[in-house]
Amino acid sequence: MKNFPVPRGTNDILPSEIPLWLNVESKARHLLRTYGYQEIRTPLFEETELFARSMGETSDVVQKQMLNLAASHREDAEKTTSASLSLRPESTAAVVRSYIQHHFDQKENLTKLFYIGPMFRGERPQKGRLRQFHQIGVEAIGPESSLAYLDAEVISLSVHLLRSLGLKNFRLKLNTLGSPDDKKEFSRQLREELRNKISDLCEDCQGRFERNVFRILDCKNKTCREIVSRINIGHSYLSQESQVYYVQVKEALESLGIVFEESFNLVRGLDYYTHTVFEITDSSLGSQDALGAGGRYNNLVSQLGGPQADAVGFALGVERILLAMAPDGVIQEAPLTVYMIAMNEESYRKAFEILHLFRGQGISADMNYRLASMKSQMRSANKIGARYVAILGEEELRQNAVTVKDMTSGTQETIAVENLTKVFKEKNFVIHNHE
Ligand code: HAM
């Protein structure tokens, strides 16, 4: 018989792991709202061209990693469109598309949005590199939002988020690409530096030289890295204005006590970046060491047909955060509060009603859905990790009460059904609520 394992590079997130995910997601949501960001949920797929136009035709993601939807899925009911669709490899382009479509610029001067959700890239899977992975990201978009304080806020938020999840050993790398004109000058200078070393570069980088020279800067090949380490352009490509902006960003970060390292080689693989770029790495992750990254992208909104609006954002990889949190990030799964035990057919019906009574009051409760021996029901209660069992037998049924046993101390008491939820609430039982 054929087996059906999960597709390569994807994972089932199992019940035992869910508490970890909920912890990360709820802490993130809370903090992002604290910083004034509102959640947005865009579709899991968009027109392929949206991604190609924003990230750049020559970026690795667009060239090698797009997961296209099959042709049969792409025509709508009226067959009026036949645009190629792709699963989203990231959300910046999608958020910008939504910003334009819903005229956010007419509603507010600055729009601060966040998202949490799965992204898809057809990469070669390895530790920390998946085909379906999850990001927590923010995008701050608005006319006249090119403000060094906003860059500093976005960067400090990413650091704050990682710290609030207990991560400490990460490094923040910072650089600036300058304005689009500065960026052109940067690529011109890079080509100049590398022109007489082309034949020493790896095959990929030889192609990158014309296509996208910036990609050579983060090639992992040993020879390419040596060549790159000898390049000494510094920030000579920056205009006076861009220099000033960069200094302001650094000063704002320093005023917040955010420690960063300047990295002249940090260019980021996506075309839309201008000015500030940053990356957060954690060496405990091995070769896929980026916990997250982001930067400013001042021309993307207008490039995608929207108004003139500047923007800055970041995305953190949830799986990588979880890898870096382990092993001390393990959270005990919140146990079930009550496990109902019915001793016979007659009491079962009442027990089933009480089960709903508990749940209706927000007290987590469960029971066997088939009558079984007391011993087997106790075993189930233990396995689930119930803090209490509520036993309903003949005697209890007659008294309209239940016997509640504390599974840790072994003590038990009989409580009238009418007082049951009140007593449980007074004892301050865990109410399952992750928000
Ligand atoms: P990115 O650098 O492509 O940027 O991805 C951000 C983070 O997502 C990475 O640092 C990593 O933690 C995680 N990630 C990326 N690819 C994978 C993968 N295949 N498997 C596991 N984790 C992965 C962006 O996506 C930009 N949209 C960030 C941004 C937002 N810039 C401005 N706004």
Side-chain angles (χ1 to χ4, degrees):
M1 268 283 252
K2 182 177 168 10
N3 278 332
F4 294 99
V6 284
R8 238 162 73 78
T10 71
N11 282 324
D12 292 321
I13 302 166
L14 297 171
S16 58
E17 298 163 294
I18 292 293
L20 287 169
W21 282 79
L22 292 179
N23 172 50
V24 170
E25 287 166 7
S26 65
K27 281 200 175 132
R29 276 204 174 83
H30 180 75
L31 193 68
L32 294 164
R33 288 191 196 122
T34 307
Y35 275 70
Y37 288 79
Q38 287 185 302
E39 183 162 1
I40 184 166
R41 299 185 189 193
T42 61
L44 297 193
F45 57 85
E46 300 270 353
E47 280 193 35
T48 307
E49 198 187 336
L50 172 71
F51 301 120
R53 289 246 305 263
S54 52
M55 288 187 280
E57 296 280 0
T58 60
S59 64
D60 280 1
V61 178
V62 171
Q63 289 229 319
K64 301 185 201 155
Q65 301 163 3
M66 295 292 273
L67 292 172
N68 275 100
L69 298 188
S72 57
H73 295 157
R74 40 177 156 94
E75 278 162 316
D76 65 23
E78 293 94 40
K79 299 208 184 309
T80 50
T81 60
S82 60
S84 159
L85 299 173
S86 289
L87 290 173
R88 60 182 191 192
E90 57 119 50
S91 274
T92 307
V95 170
V96 168
R97 195 252 325 120
S98 182
Y99 176 89
I100 298 168
Q101 189 169 343
H102 299 285
H103 305 289
F104 276 93
D105 63 304
Q106 291 168 19
K107 297 177 208 158
E108 52 202 6
N109 238 338
L110 178 63
T111 301
K112 302 208 301 188
L113 300 168
F114 78 84
Y115 47 87
I116 300 180
M119 310 293 154
F120 307 86
R121 296 184 191 177
E123 299 200 68
R124 200 159 40 80
Q126 65 178 80
K127 185 181 166 214
R129 190 162 75 188
L130 293 154
R131 290 184 170 168
Q132 176 175 335
F133 58 98
H134 297 73
Q135 283 186 345
I136 299 172
V138 310
E139 313 294 348
I141 313 171
E144 295 161 42
S145 69
S146 247
L147 304 159
Y149 282 116
L150 189 58
D151 298 41
E153 175 189 284
V154 163
I155 296 172
S156 72
L157 170 55
S158 64
V159 168
H160 193 167
L161 193 49
L162 293 171
R163 282 209 197 115
S164 74
L165 294 169
L167 301 188
K168 296 185 196 86
N169 303 320
F170 54 83
R171 291 160 62 189
L172 168 64
K173 293 182 195 159
L174 186 73
N175 195 17
T176 178
L177 304 172
S179 66
D181 281 343
D182 299 345
K183 230 174 133 177
K184 273 190 210 130
E185 174 59 15
F186 187 11
S187 63
R188 194 194 62 76
Q189 290 190 17
L190 266 180
R191 285 203 184 92
E192 200 97 307
E193 287 275 324
L194 292 167
R195 196 168 302 279
N196 55 7
K197 298 174 192 101
I198 298 181
S199 53
D200 300 331
L201 294 170
C202 74
E203 211 177 302
D204 272 352
C205 283
Q206 293 189 7
R208 288 169 181 154
F209 181 83
E210 281 305 333
R211 242 187 12 246
N212 190 343
V213 70
F214 293 128
R215 306 297 315 134
I216 299 175
L217 293 186
D218 45 28
C219 179
K220 299 248 154 58
N221 177 287
K222 196 162 164 260
T223 320
C224 295
R225 282 167 74 150
E226 267 163 31
I227 295 172
V228 163
S229 70
R230 286 196 291 272
I231 297 176
N232 189 15
I233 303 178
H235 277 157
S236 57
Y237 52 86
L238 287 183
S239 66
Q240 179 67 20
E241 217 177 313
S242 303
Q243 283 272 17
V244 169
Y245 189 81
Y246 184 52
V247 171
Q248 285 171 345
V249 172
K250 288 193 289 183
E251 282 173 357
L253 282 173
E254 275 155 12
S255 74
L256 296 175
I258 303 287
V259 179
F260 59 88
E261 296 163 28
E262 285 186 76
S263 169
F264 291 107
N265 288 349
L266 178 68
V267 284
R268 308 279 298 123
L270 311 173
D271 269 9
Y272 51 63
Y273 291 110
T274 54
H275 295 281
T276 317
V277 285
F278 68 101
E279 188 171 73
I280 300 176
T281 57
D282 185 323
S283 56
S284 72
L285 292 176
S287 70
Q288 301 303 313
D289 64 352
L291 280 171
R296 184 159 274 291
Y297 49 99
N298 285 349
N299 294 339
L300 186 57
V301 183
S302 58
Q303 258 169 31
L304 293 177
Q308 180 49 49
D310 299 336
V312 58
F314 70 78
L316 301 173
V318 180
E319 282 81 357
R320 294 191 190 170
I321 291 177
L322 290 171
L323 278 174
M325 280 169 80
D328 50 335
V330 176
I331 298 170
Q332 283 300 314
E333 192 169 0
L336 188 79
T337 304
V338 205
Y339 196 83
M340 284 297 308
I341 292 182
M343 304 278 277
N344 54 35
E345 288 286 352
E346 298 81 69
S347 58
Y348 191 91
R349 197 177 146 164
K350 186 74 187 170
F352 194 60
E353 278 173 35
I354 296 172
L355 178 75
H356 283 258
L357 191 74
F358 276 129
R359 290 170 173 172
Q361 293 297 312
I363 298 163
S364 64
D366 213 343
M367 74 182 291
N368 247 8
Y369 292 94
R370 201 155 21 113
L371 198 57
S373 70
M374 173 81 173
K375 201 169 150 203
S376 119
Q377 293 188 69
M378 283 301 278
R379 218 183 298 126
S380 305
N382 263 319
K383 205 164 151 196
I384 289 179
R387 288 177 62 186
Y388 294 86
V389 289
I391 304 163
L392 203 82
E394 247 170 64
E395 185 53 29
E396 285 88 358
L397 201 58
R398 220 172 31 77
Q399 293 179 23
N400 200 25
V402 292
T403 300
V404 174
K405 181 175 176 185
D406 184 323
M407 297 292 272
T408 328
S409 65
T411 55
Q412 58 182 59
E413 57 181 313
T414 303
I415 304 171
V417 170
E418 70 222 51
N419 296 332
L420 204 54
T421 55
K422 193 169 138 265
V423 172
F424 265 69
K425 282 194 164 174
E426 273 167 13
K427 289 187 178 182
N428 206 8
F429 287 103
V430 177
I431 295 181
H432 281 230
N433 182 355
H434 285 283
E435 265 301 279

